Amino acid sequence: MRAVQAHAFGDPTVLSVVDLPDPSPGAGQVAIDVTHAAVGLIDLFFRQGVYRDQPGMPQPPYVPGLEVVGTIREIGEGVTGFRVGEQVVAMSQTGTGGYASAYVASAWRIVSIEGSGIAPELAVSMIPNAAMAYVALTEVAHLRQGESVLVHGALGGLASAFPGVAKQLGASRVVGTVRPDKLAAAKSTALPYDRIVDSTRLSEELGDEKFDVVIDPVGGEVRMQSLALTGPGGRLIAAGNASGDWEHTIPDNQLWLGSVTIAGFNAGAYLPTHPEVVRPALEAARTAIAAGLGQTVVDVLSFDEAARAHERMESRALAGRLVLAAQ
């Protein structure tokens, strides 16, 4: 199989296309002929070596990629409900392996998109993230009908899945925030936000408005500002650290003074210990995307352009998703 491999930690030039043996599925797994693999911010962090000292994190040489779409080529022992040739989306269990023309996934981490009408590049860009948004909103934030939601970094890979899923779950209002340089793109997005505001002018833009649930994949100072935007009984979900600020802390007295709950959501930690939530989440995500609740801009590059894709991600100028085509 053709695969994009990171042969060391470093800048995007450590990525190169190599030939590797085709994988075979074990019990409970399926092998997939990949057509598209999503490029995510976590791929950059892995490649840069941000998590190199954490147990279980990928070490070079490895193949990046968390999410793929393609057709099933082989079914392992014990797998039912799928057939060879069926078009599916798969979420990685290890956070790696997606930038390859063949991929092995656990059956509980895939969902069929056969007959859904969802384009493969949109499916791989949005369904896995929408599934994670569904888990975060239902299992961690416990979103209730009629509640309001604020999403920081509104156009980001994970963040962009929240408005559609929140609306699907009955949220009354979903507001997004972006940096000033992304406001123009945000204003023209088809994502179902009720409003998008400048993240550097939150108090001026939002005034005294409070939210029941705040989703923060940005971190740093934005997380601190989020406390003032979370209403009594509200839930602030720390869902990432795109800011790269690893030293920032939250004063816990503000939590009890505001009667605010703050919880972390890291899919890599949560999903393996709660496997029963994955299939319902993937099915709910497929429904949301098929209903047009996750329309976003998707740029498709080839495997040979993987380094360029990472360079574009690092520029932080992207206002949609990047996907690598295996062919």
Side-chain angles (χ1 to χ4, degrees):
M1 68 178 185
R2 293 185 80 234
V4 177
Q5 191 174 72
H7 60 78
F9 292 125
D11 64 27
T13 61
V14 303
L15 299 175
S16 60
V17 178
V18 298
D19 288 317
L20 296 174
D22 285 346
S24 297
Q29 297 179 323
V30 300
I32 298 167
D33 283 324
V34 175
T35 60
H36 299 83
V39 179
L41 188 59
I42 191 66
D43 299 345
L44 274 63
F45 288 156
F46 284 164
R47 190 208 74 232
Q48 293 164 349
V50 171
Y51 305 118
R52 71 177 75 193
D53 297 324
Q54 298 299 314
M57 291 297 102
Q59 303 293 322
Y62 72 93
V63 176
L66 278 75
E67 304 127 356
V68 304
V69 64
T71 57
I72 296 176
R73 63 188 292 181
E74 187 178 353
I75 294 177
E77 181 183 353
V79 176
T80 60
F82 297 99
R83 60 174 175 77
V84 171
E86 189 169 6
Q87 191 177 35
V88 295
V89 171
M91 298 170 59
S92 169
Q93 191 163 341
T94 63
T96 59
Y99 296 6
S101 58
Y103 180 77
V104 167
S106 296
W108 61 277
R109 284 179 170 262
I110 69 174
V111 66
S112 175
I113 60 167
E114 195 81 13
S116 68
I118 307 171
E121 61 271 19
L122 181 64
V124 75
S125 296
M126 296 302 294
I127 287 179
N129 282 321
M132 289 186 284
Y134 181 89
V135 173
L137 288 170
T138 58
E139 301 290 330
V140 182
H142 304 292
L143 179 70
R144 294 185 289 269
Q145 185 91 14
E147 289 191 316
S148 58
V149 179
L150 179 68
V151 182
H152 293 303
L155 299 182
L158 177 59
S160 63
F162 275 92
V165 174
K167 288 295 182 73
Q168 182 188 46
L169 292 170
S172 60
R173 178 168 167 79
V174 184
V175 175
T177 80
V178 294
R179 300 193 320 251
D181 60 305
K182 292 192 175 183
L183 268 175
K187 299 287 187 182
S188 62
T189 184
L191 295 169
Y193 287 106
D194 294 292
R195 185 184 177 196
I196 296 183
V197 302
D198 183 341
S199 62
T200 65
R201 302 182 70 253
L202 292 178
S203 59
E204 296 93 334
E205 296 265 17
L206 296 173
D208 295 329
E209 186 171 0
K210 306 290 185 182
F211 296 86
D212 298 298
V213 173
V214 177
I215 305 298
D216 176 24
V218 177
E221 186 59 31
V222 167
R223 193 155 296 161
M224 174 66 76
Q225 294 173 332
S226 295
L227 288 177
L229 297 167
T230 309
R235 289 82 73 200
L236 169 58
I237 309 301
N241 188 32
S243 68
D245 184 350
W246 296 96
E247 305 301 321
H248 192 271
T249 59
I250 293 288
D252 57 6
N253 281 338
Q254 290 200 28
L255 301 181
W256 75 265
L257 283 169
S259 193
V260 170
T261 297
I262 183 169
F265 177 69
N266 175 354
Y270 191 91
L271 298 184
T273 56
H274 300 78
E276 73 283 355
V277 307
V278 175
R279 178 56 56 76
L282 282 167
E283 291 173 350
R286 177 185 59 198
T287 298
I289 304 308
L293 293 173
Q295 296 299 316
T296 191
V297 175
V298 182
D299 287 347
V300 181
L301 289 76
S302 70
F303 273 10
D304 296 307
E305 298 173 291
R308 181 181 163 211
H310 276 228
E311 289 169 357
R312 289 182 61 186
M313 286 286 292
E314 285 182 337
S315 75
R316 301 297 177 94
L318 196 66
R321 297 302 313 276
L322 282 175
V323 166
L324 298 178
Q327 304 301 326

